[in-house]
Structures are given as structure tokens and as C-alpha cells.
Amino acid sequence: TGVPLTSFDEIILASSKSMRRVVSLCFVTRLRAASSGLSAGFSRWSGTKNLAKLEEEVMQDKCILTSQRSGDIQRLLAISAIELQQCGTWLAQVGSWTPEEGLNVSCKLPGGKQKGDQSARAVVEGLLGTQLKALQSTVDLTHAAVRVEEVESHSQTYNLKSRYMRTVYSTSCKFSLVEQKMVWLP
């Protein structure tokens, strides 16, 4: 039974938007019951204050809720990133700032969440058209190496395990980034 060499998470990621939403909303209902202590066989979930925010992420097709083998609920997210390299250096995002949260320091590849039926490449092309617009004309994704990675972490915001299916486009720039006064860290 099942699809050979394919996980349930991969199947649900490839399913229709309405199917992803129905599955996820079933788990939102389960979390709502668990947060109120009404769910038998499921430990009390402590993420109550962020349940509305999690449901909003589901409705905006930013994440999918699924079940782990243990029966615990997890967030599943498809994200895309670009790994730009030149002369042994890589472009990295070292933080972000918002008026609501202030400075958030983290070192990661530039990228973003895939929404709905959006392809990994579309996310990277969108990034090159906005946040990395200064580099857009120097990057050719046609010959980029593409790899898919699975990364797991615990979301403090939702108190749930989060599983990221990350597609990384690895390529180089056509000109010297030093000449363009870009900040690159060795």
C-alpha cells in the first residue's frame, strides 16, 4: 500500500490546496480540543495563545499540519533558498528587523516560504526580483544545482515540531561581488 519511496508529507505537499487545508484544519480542531483539555489520549497542548495565528498560517497556505508517527502534530513547511557563492564566499542573511519584533539575529541563506501551489523556483525568482534585486541580472538559475533538504526544529511560537522541506538553488554570480560593494563574509 502507499506510494513507493514517498512519504505522507511529500504527498500532502503535492495535493490540492483544498485538501491541504482540510487536513490542516482537522489538526487545528484537535489542537483546540487539546488546549482546553477536552481531547482524550492527547496531552494538553500549551500553545493556546497562538492557535489563531497558526490557523491564519494554515488559511494563508503558509504551512500544513500533519501527524508524526508518534501521533503528535507537526507543522510542515516548504521553503526555498538561494545559495550564492563567489571565490569561496557565500551570501547570507544575518538578521531581520520588523517594527513589531525589532532585531532578530540569525544566519541563514536568503529564502522564503512557498505558498500554495507556488514552485520553489518561483520563490527564488521572487526573491531575486525584490530583496536581491541588485543581483538579479548577475544570477542565472538555469544551471543552478538544486538540492532538497529536510530540517526539523521546535517552534517556540506554536510549541510544535516544525519540519521544513527546503529546496536550495546553488549558483554563482557573473561578476565580482567585491567590486559591487556587497558585504560578504568569508
Side-chain angles (χ1 to χ4, degrees), residues 50-64:
N50 292 315
L51 187 57
K53 186 176 176 183
L54 180 62
E55 188 170 3
E56 183 179 323
E57 256 195 19
V58 165
M59 296 305 289
Q60 292 175 354
D61 222 10
K62 291 182 179 179
C63 78
I64 302 166

Side-chain angles (χ1 to χ4, degrees), residues 3-185:
V3 180
L5 304 174
T6 306
S7 71
F8 174 76
D9 291 342
E10 291 169 325
I11 293 170
I12 198 71
L13 274 172
S15 66
S16 70
K17 182 178 182 175
S18 60
M19 179 59 73
R20 290 189 304 265
R21 189 171 286 166
V22 165
V23 168
S24 295
L25 289 176
C26 287
F27 287 111
V28 167
T29 301
R30 187 171 162 195
L31 287 172
R32 188 170 285 118
S35 67
S36 63
L38 299 176
S39 179
F42 186 70
S43 60
R44 188 171 176 87
W45 180 62
S46 62
T48 311
K49 65 179 180 174
N50 292 315
L51 187 57
K53 186 176 176 183
L54 180 62
E55 188 170 3
E56 183 179 323
E57 256 195 19
V58 165
M59 296 305 289
Q60 292 175 354
D61 222 10
K62 291 182 179 179
C63 78
I64 302 166
L65 299 179
T66 64
S67 180
Q68 301 173 48
R69 289 185 192 272
S70 65
D72 290 339
I73 297 171
Q74 69 178 356
R75 285 170 67 231
L76 179 63
L77 300 98
I79 59 174
S80 302
I82 186 164
E83 182 180 72
L84 288 175
Q85 28 182 326
Q86 179 148 62
C87 301
T89 57
W90 288 267
L91 178 67
Q93 179 180 335
V94 294
S96 61
W97 183 87
T98 62
E100 300 83 27
E101 298 178 17
L103 180 63
N104 180 19
V105 178
S106 65
C107 186
K108 60 185 178 180
L109 295 175
K113 293 178 186 174
Q114 288 172 235
K115 297 176 187 166
D117 298 327
Q118 187 180 33
S119 71
R121 186 177 176 120
V123 171
V124 171
E125 287 172 344
L127 191 64
L128 287 168
T130 55
Q131 296 172 345
L132 300 177
K133 189 159 183 70
L135 299 175
Q136 185 176 26
S137 64
T138 70
V139 176
D140 182 11
L141 294 177
T142 307
H143 303 292
V146 180
R147 69 181 184 274
V148 178
E149 307 167 338
E150 289 187 30
V151 179
E152 294 181 0
S153 68
H154 184 80
S155 169
Q156 292 182 347
T157 302
Y158 301 117
N159 193 26
L160 292 173
K161 177 180 167 186
S162 294
R163 188 162 170 229
Y164 298 90
M165 308 291 276
R166 182 168 81 160
T167 304
V168 180
Y169 285 79
S170 183
T171 190
S172 58
C173 292
K174 296 178 191 172
F175 67 91
S176 171
L177 293 166
V178 175
E179 292 172 11
Q180 297 298 317
K181 300 186 187 223
M182 297 293 289
V183 177
W184 285 71
L185 302 174

